[in-house]
Amino acid sequence: MSELLPGGNLPLPGGALTVRVPGPFDMSALITDDDGKVRGDSDFVFYNQPSAPGAVLRGDTLTVDPTRLRAGATRVTVVVSPADPGTPLGRLPVPTLFVTDPGGRHLARFTPPRPGQETVLLLAELYRRGAGWKVRALGQGYADGLAGLARDFGVDVLDDDTPPGGPVGTHTATARTSATGRVNATPPTATPAPDTHGYLPLINPARAQAGSPPVSLDPRLTTAAHQHASAMAAAGQLGVESRDGVAVYQRVTATGFTYITIGEHLVSGPRTPTEFIDYCLRSDGPRRTLLDPAFTHAGLAHANGGRSGDVYWTAVWARPLAPADLTRTAADVIDLTNRERTRAGLPPLSSDPALARAAQAHSADMVARDFYSHTAPDGSQPWDRAAAAGSTRRSIGENIACGQRSPAEVVTGWMNSPGHRANILKPGFTHIGIGFAGGGRAGTYWTQLFGGG
């Protein structure tokens, strides 16, 4: 049986699977499409509605047959809440999730970090990947209970004292669809996370003094920060990638937060939020990150290292990915690349849609399949990807990079590398496509695909 850690995943066999969470909890499930939103009432499986096509809830056990889910369903998210409504999960034993195959063999177990004041916890999700299904450990909590769940999944929760169908508690919520048949939804970033530790009064005045906009706390970033701080505390060491092999950026991606730029602080020693923020503002590199005007959202958390007594801190800074961001980022990379060609007396490169499709697909693939190479796991090379995207260019070149936080940073890095610089300044190249994806172990993945002839 595999022990999953937050963000970890495992392929699943075919057939009906059982998911069990024993203890003083109510279990529920949300069935969603790729957009992460429920379609209607029948997609919410819980105490008062214990079945849906492909999913049946009996007590502490959920049975899921992916082949029988409704058309278009690609994800089943497993949720737990206290059987006694309103009780913080931190007062109860830590819930443990068990996944069993059709033959009764235990496949996976997941115990998240101990919750605090959260009253609802997303434990895991079963999700489709290609022709198969996988399970991913989550551990994302909501201190605002079902309201937080509604915000992220498009469930309109009735929380009146006497709603239709009976009193509402943690296990008797209902989903209500709008006249269009879609579930009423609130944008994921509309309700910020509560600032229970008083971080924002320490951060935002310093940002204002530097001319940067304020940041708001995002519950998904806070969840990722908490998971990573806890993992570092358990290991007794700092690292972007903790001893469990999961990077802080992967934890962010696992919460569903997609970003166009990201930064982090990983620190041990400070005892209070004031000491932590003071440290960041005193140090040149951390200060630049904390004050960076590109960031609009943050998540901060700390964990005690046990016998060592050290306190481990994780701060994640990010800006969500908006529809226009990829277009603007690609345009900026092309502009900076062409400036370098102009300085070298070369004509500018023209944007090529086919090369752009191939470049974007490669950046996304490096995140999804957790690799960093010009050669993909299936053996495909840059020219193969270009041809598959419809390019007819006779000569192809590719630059890739990971970890850079801006177009300027990535183009500067390429220009400082002789091989990458040679591609940028190759006279025979006439066209270019840019790819960018956030996530994975390095946080950001960039692709320049050149074509000529």
Side-chain angles (χ1 to χ4, degrees):
M1 179 170 60
S2 297
E3 291 281 353
L4 294 178
L5 294 161
N9 63 74
L10 181 74
L12 295 171
L17 305 156
T18 59
V19 180
R20 180 171 178 260
V21 183
F25 308 105
D26 279 335
M27 193 174 178
S28 54
L30 295 135
I31 300 167
T32 60
D33 297 350
D34 285 334
D35 64 2
K37 297 290 187 288
V38 297
R39 284 189 182 178
D41 297 9
S42 60
D43 281 348
F44 194 10
V45 178
F46 64 108
Y47 181 87
N48 276 0
Q49 185 174 272
S51 65
V56 177
L57 178 64
R58 294 186 179 91
D60 63 3
T61 301
L62 175 73
T63 301
V64 179
D65 185 347
T67 64
R68 298 182 62 190
L69 294 171
R70 63 159 175 79
T74 59
R75 187 185 309 170
V76 178
T77 303
V78 180
V79 182
V80 295
S81 54
D84 181 13
T87 301
L89 286 164
R91 297 182 188 175
L92 302 174
V94 179
T96 297
L97 175 141
F98 298 88
V99 181
T100 306
D101 72 8
R105 182 173 62 93
H106 289 301
L107 298 173
R109 177 170 59 192
F110 171 55
T111 302
R114 172 169 288 279
Q117 294 302 307
E118 295 90 342
T119 56
V120 172
L121 189 67
L122 307 188
L123 267 185
E125 63 179 7
L126 312 182
Y127 64 103
R128 189 171 65 199
R129 177 55 58 88
W133 283 72
K134 304 178 80 172
V135 59
R136 177 186 290 122
L138 297 178
Q140 177 184 353
Y142 296 91
D144 49 352
L146 290 172
L149 199 70
R151 179 183 63 244
D152 279 3
F153 286 87
V155 181
D156 188 359
V157 177
L158 299 173
D159 57 2
D160 306 295
D161 290 338
T162 56
V168 170
T170 304
H171 57 268
T172 58
T174 60
R176 181 173 59 199
T177 55
S178 66
T180 62
R182 298 294 296 176
V183 171
N184 297 331
T186 302
T189 57
T191 305
D195 187 15
T196 56
H197 294 284
Y199 292 117
L200 297 183
L202 302 171
I203 296 167
N204 283 333
R207 288 178 61 86
Q209 189 173 4
S212 298
V215 294
S216 60
L217 296 181
D218 186 280
R220 296 159 297 178
L221 296 180
T222 299
T223 294
H226 174 72
Q227 291 171 347
H228 201 73
S230 298
M232 291 193 301
Q237 63 183 27
L238 296 172
V240 170
E241 185 175 311
S242 55
R243 191 170 62 183
D244 56 18
V246 182
V248 63
Y249 316 116
Q250 292 173 304
R251 300 185 196 279
V252 170
T253 302
T255 69
F257 188 102
T258 55
Y259 56 83
I260 189 66
T261 187
I262 194 167
E264 79 291 328
H265 287 132
L266 308 175
V267 178
S268 66
R271 299 288 174 176
T272 66
T274 299
E275 290 181 10
F276 172 64
I277 299 302
D278 283 348
Y279 164 80
C280 293
L281 290 173
R282 287 197 313 268
S283 307
D284 185 50
R287 177 182 174 86
R288 284 198 303 271
T289 299
L290 189 150
L291 301 180
D292 192 328
F295 299 133
T296 57
H297 293 71
L300 298 92
H302 64 278
N304 194 291
R307 285 180 296 177
S308 70
D310 291 335
V311 181
Y312 288 80
W313 298 80
T314 298
V316 181
W317 315 87
R319 178 161 65 89
L321 178 67
D325 282 332
L326 289 178
T327 300
R328 182 168 55 250
T329 296
D332 288 346
V333 173
I334 293 174
D335 178 63
L336 291 167
T337 299
N338 281 333
R339 290 185 192 183
E340 298 295 343
R341 289 178 63 89
T342 298
R343 291 190 187 101
L346 296 169
L349 302 172
S350 299
S351 178
D352 183 292
L355 295 178
R357 287 194 297 271
Q360 182 61 36
H362 190 55
S363 287
D365 193 29
M366 287 191 287
V367 171
R369 291 201 275 181
D370 194 19
F371 73 98
Y372 177 67
S373 173
H374 294 288
T375 304
D378 60 8
S380 63
Q381 300 288 342
W383 43 89
D384 301 318
R385 296 188 288 270
S391 174
T392 58
R393 306 290 168 192
R394 289 197 296 270
S395 61
I396 295 291
E398 183 179 76
N399 287 343
I400 58 175
C402 63
Q404 295 80 5
R405 307 302 166 82
S406 68
E409 185 177 345
V410 73
V411 173
T412 298
W414 280 326
M415 288 300 294
N416 288 335
S417 167
H420 298 93
R421 178 187 177 93
N423 271 339
I424 289 174
L425 300 182
K426 185 172 180 177
F429 287 146
T430 56
H431 290 76
I432 188 173
I434 304 299
F436 169 85
R441 296 179 188 275
T444 56
Y445 290 76
W446 305 80
T447 302
Q448 271 186 324
L449 196 57
F450 305 90

